[in-house]
Amino acid sequence: LEGRPTGVFLLYANMLNALIQSQRDTFLLVLGSIYLMLVVLFRAPLLALVVLLPQVLPVFVCLGTMGFTGVPLDLVTVMIASIAMGVGIDSAIQYTVRFRIELIAAGGDLRTAVTNSHATIGRAIWIATWIVVAGFGVLAVSKFVPSVYLGLFTALAMLLGELASLSVLPALFLLLK
């Protein structure tokens, strides 16, 4: 006689392994695609990396929080990292474009450029992010638990992305004189 595992639990285990691999592959594809677009947009590979880095940190914090709290990766929550990167990079791009404009207007003074960027685009980023957070927050009242997780953790990633765009990104600009 030969024994082989079968049944629903084997199918579920295989599905979870495929989801985790898909999460990894998709996130790397999203990172690579966004990096290439940033290089084309800014014509500076180092600047593209500096803009991308603060947006990766919130995704790792969000996924780490999911793991720490025991929220499973499933067909819905597996999309959180890619959605967060896709939506969150918008604020980093807006800030960077404004920073470059303000840097020219300030005659190369980095601190003045950061201050002026915060005074102009910073407020717009804050408002836009809270609108997106509210939109994903609506999913918290869903009866479908994976949708609740999607809404809450994507909203968390958006908030962390905003904080990264308005704190870490300007700090990196000041460090990279």
Side-chain angles (χ1 to χ4, degrees):
L1 293 174
E2 178 185 333
R4 291 188 323 196
T6 62
V8 175
F9 291 110
L10 179 63
L11 182 64
Y12 189 66
N14 289 339
M15 183 184 75
L16 285 177
N17 287 335
L19 281 174
I20 291 168
Q21 182 62 40
S22 172
Q23 170 76 14
R24 214 173 305 144
D25 294 346
T26 303
F27 187 66
L28 290 174
L29 179 66
V30 166
L31 275 178
S33 299
I34 291 174
Y35 176 75
L36 289 174
M37 286 185 249
L38 290 172
V39 168
V40 169
L41 176 66
F42 296 125
R43 294 182 188 95
L46 180 61
L47 180 60
L49 190 61
V50 168
V51 172
L52 188 60
L53 180 66
Q55 294 305 312
V56 172
L57 298 174
V59 172
F60 286 147
V61 170
C62 192
L63 291 176
T65 303
M66 286 176 62
F68 183 73
T69 58
V71 174
L73 282 179
D74 56 28
L75 292 172
V76 177
T77 58
V78 78
M79 298 183 293
I80 290 172
S82 297
I83 292 171
M85 279 297 297
V87 176
I89 196 69
D90 182 54
S91 60
I93 292 170
Q94 289 177 14
Y95 192 92
T96 303
V97 168
R98 187 62 190 195
F99 174 78
R100 292 173 89 187
I101 292 168
E102 294 295 340
L103 188 61
I104 293 168
D109 182 24
L110 294 172
R111 292 206 181 274
T112 302
V114 166
T115 302
N116 293 342
S117 297
H118 265 66
T120 54
I121 200 68
R123 184 170 184 222
I125 289 171
W126 189 86
I127 292 168
T129 299
W130 278 98
I131 291 170
V132 172
V133 167
F136 278 106
V138 169
L139 291 173
V141 297
S142 172
K143 301 255 188 245
F144 186 56
V145 175
S147 291
V148 173
Y149 289 147
L150 176 71
L152 293 177
F153 284 104
T154 304
L156 173 64
M158 295 296 102
L159 287 174
L160 294 172
E162 172 193 20
L163 291 174
S165 291
L166 297 177
S167 62
V168 177
L169 187 59
L172 289 174
F173 287 156
L174 291 175
L175 287 175
L176 297 174
K177 295 180 183 184

